[in-house]
Amino acid sequence: MIEWFIHDRFATKAEKLATDDPKYLELQQQFEPETWLADAARRVSQLQVVTHSLKAIHPDAKGTNLYVEPGPLVQNGLVGSHCLPADFQGDVVGNAATLDVYKFLKLEWQGRSLLELALDFDEVLIDALSENREEAKSWVRAFASITEPKGTPSSHARGKQIYWLVDDDPTNNDSYHLLAPLYATALTHRFYAHTSPNTWFFGERNKAARKALKDKAPFEGGYTSYPNLAAQKMGGTKPQNISQLNSERGGQNYLLASLPPRWESREIYAPMREPFRAFKRRPAVWKVVDELKRFLEADPTKNMHTRDLRDDLTSMLVDELMLFTFDIHSLAPGWTADKKCQLAPEEQYWLDPGRANEDDEFDEARRHSDWHEAISARAANWLNRELGHKSRLHFGDIEHHHWQRQFESVMTEFRRQLDDLQEALRDEGDGDEGEAA
């Protein structure tokens, strides 16, 4: 298994090189099993497996990260890292260029990862790594150290600090402990897996529950919903700079609403013409557009931080476009069939998908349309116009292409999920008709 992993990495790196190429021969030497293992044992010091990380608090923070097994933690009635199961997934922070070492340690042997074996100083692992037992033992110690904090415990000026009252006298400075909270990244990842819309909204059980509701039929079991779920983006366009798991989530971290319930009476009107005019009227939209315009008009330095902030603001507009879409989808299906509706076909396919369940001709046309691409292009046109309105900014095809790519990356996935949901509901409906027949 170990030799297979090393050989596979060599094959990937050398696939475009001729066997007589000096670089091929150099790679061949680097990927000799003992040579690679010795180098991996050296490079593993650049990584740390953690359950609680500091960079998620602030990307420039440098200090202690922690790896804490959930089992020994105090068990109480609150949700916390102590709730994690034994097979929880740890996160990785450090030099992203050395993540191949962590992938190696994630290899499993008889149901246990190499990291688990290293932490137990397992004799089988020692024997497998090298015939030189002392050398193998030193490698195992090095691999096991990936869970240990680097250096002495420390916080950072960019980390958070909380004064926590531990005595009865809040006026006495000695009555406080200074806490430096870390981000519970392992718990967050587990929570993300449960709350992701791909899991609960598009899950088979919830599809069946929604169909039962639509058909006014009984349904055994509950329906899962996370109202007012917020998404916290970490790392901007470089989520891997925060941690490995953050990169796997695309920087998305979900937050439950922690507000008391509040009634909101807000009418949602069907946009019978120019949907992006209705979109712009949303307070959050014009505020973000204004902020993006003022930022670009200041002619910021062309560097990574400028690109990240620009893309973060654009991502906020993409999120708002999806919220606008969901709001319009709450209207009764078929509203675009009204003679007063002047929307282009692509805009009707986008904003009134429920009409496809009642109008076969509309359904057929919608299926064969690349409406998500057309809407992304129009969103980019709209943003170019808004940023250039009464401004010295002038944007053309290059900027349009950049905005379009950001809109289209989300619109394409949204279209796929929407089509999958409608297809599943359609299949279930056909099955029910067949049984009745």
Side-chain angles (χ1 to χ4, degrees), residues 333-334 354-360:
R355 180 179 166 186
N357 299 327
E358 306 166 353
D359 185 336
D360 292 339

Side-chain angles (χ1 to χ4, degrees), residues 48-339:
Q48 185 186 353
V49 175
V50 303
T51 55
H52 297 73
S53 64
L54 180 59
K55 269 192 174 292
I57 303 295
H58 194 287
D60 292 333
K62 296 178 176 64
T64 298
N65 301 282
L66 294 178
Y67 178 87
V68 182
E69 290 279 353
L73 294 175
V74 175
Q75 304 294 313
N76 55 45
L78 301 176
V79 175
S81 296
H82 60 278
C83 299
L84 288 170
D87 63 345
F88 75 94
Q89 190 171 358
D91 204 350
V92 183
V93 297
N95 185 358
T98 60
L99 283 175
D100 59 316
V101 181
Y102 181 62
K103 291 178 181 178
F104 167 72
L105 293 176
K106 287 177 67 177
L107 294 176
E108 291 194 356
W109 171 253
Q110 296 184 346
R112 303 186 70 202
S113 69
L114 297 189
L115 176 57
E116 290 178 282
L117 297 175
L119 290 170
D120 289 344
F121 209 63
D122 188 85
E123 288 291 332
V124 175
L125 177 61
I126 294 172
D127 291 339
L129 290 180
S130 176
E131 294 180 359
N132 184 331
R133 284 186 61 78
E134 292 306 314
E135 183 177 54
K137 287 180 180 179
S138 69
W139 292 347
V140 170
R141 291 189 192 96
F143 292 142
S145 71
I146 196 173
T147 63
E148 297 173 3
K150 311 302 179 187
T152 56
S154 64
S155 185
H156 190 267
R158 296 190 182 276
K160 289 184 178 179
Q161 295 181 344
I162 299 174
Y163 282 96
W164 191 265
L165 184 65
V166 294
D167 211 336
D168 296 329
D169 184 5
T171 63
N172 183 358
N173 289 342
D174 294 333
S175 297
Y176 294 88
H177 281 173
L178 182 60
L179 304 181
L182 298 177
Y183 190 75
T185 180
L187 178 64
T188 297
H189 195 69
R190 186 83 177 188
F191 175 72
Y192 176 87
H194 282 281
T195 54
S196 172
N198 286 334
T199 302
W200 65 270
F201 187 81
F202 293 102
E204 293 301 321
R205 186 171 187 79
N206 272 6
K207 286 182 184 178
R210 285 195 298 275
K211 185 177 185 302
L213 178 64
K214 177 182 176 183
D215 298 341
K216 298 181 180 179
F219 179 76
E220 293 185 5
Y223 175 84
T224 302
S225 179
Y226 296 95
N228 300 319
L229 193 68
Q232 180 185 24
K233 190 75 179 283
M234 291 185 179
T237 57
K238 303 290 189 299
Q240 69 273 17
N241 288 346
I242 302 299
S243 73
Q244 172 64 20
L245 293 185
N246 188 67
S247 179
E248 291 180 16
R249 296 190 299 271
Q252 296 286 345
N253 299 267
Y254 289 138
L255 304 174
L256 289 174
S258 57
L259 298 171
R262 183 179 63 181
W263 287 105
E264 288 188 8
S265 298
R266 183 166 64 90
E267 291 281 350
I268 297 175
Y269 298 98
M272 292 299 191
R273 54 193 295 269
E274 298 185 34
F276 282 98
R277 177 178 291 183
F279 173 61
K280 182 190 173 182
R281 286 198 293 266
R282 296 170 72 92
V285 173
W286 59 259
K287 286 179 181 178
V288 174
V289 170
D290 184 60
E291 184 176 352
L292 179 59
K293 179 190 286 190
R294 285 188 288 106
F295 173 68
L296 295 175
E297 285 178 336
D299 195 20
T301 304
K302 295 179 180 179
N303 56 25
M304 179 185 68
H305 297 294
T306 294
R307 291 191 296 271
D308 285 352
L309 181 54
R310 176 202 63 193
D311 289 343
D312 284 347
L313 290 170
T314 311
S315 294
M316 292 170 68
L317 287 175
V318 176
D319 291 343
E320 283 298 323
L321 186 63
M322 296 312 301
L323 292 174
F324 171 75
T325 302
F326 291 138
D327 279 349
I328 303 302
H329 284 190
S330 69
L331 297 171
W335 60 269
T336 53
D338 191 307
K339 293 181 179 179

Side-chain angles (χ1 to χ4, degrees), residues 25-40:
L25 299 176
E26 182 181 341
L27 277 175
Q28 200 171 37
Q29 292 177 352
Q30 290 177 10
F31 283 88
E32 285 292 331
E34 292 214 356
T35 303
W36 188 89
L37 286 168
D39 184 56

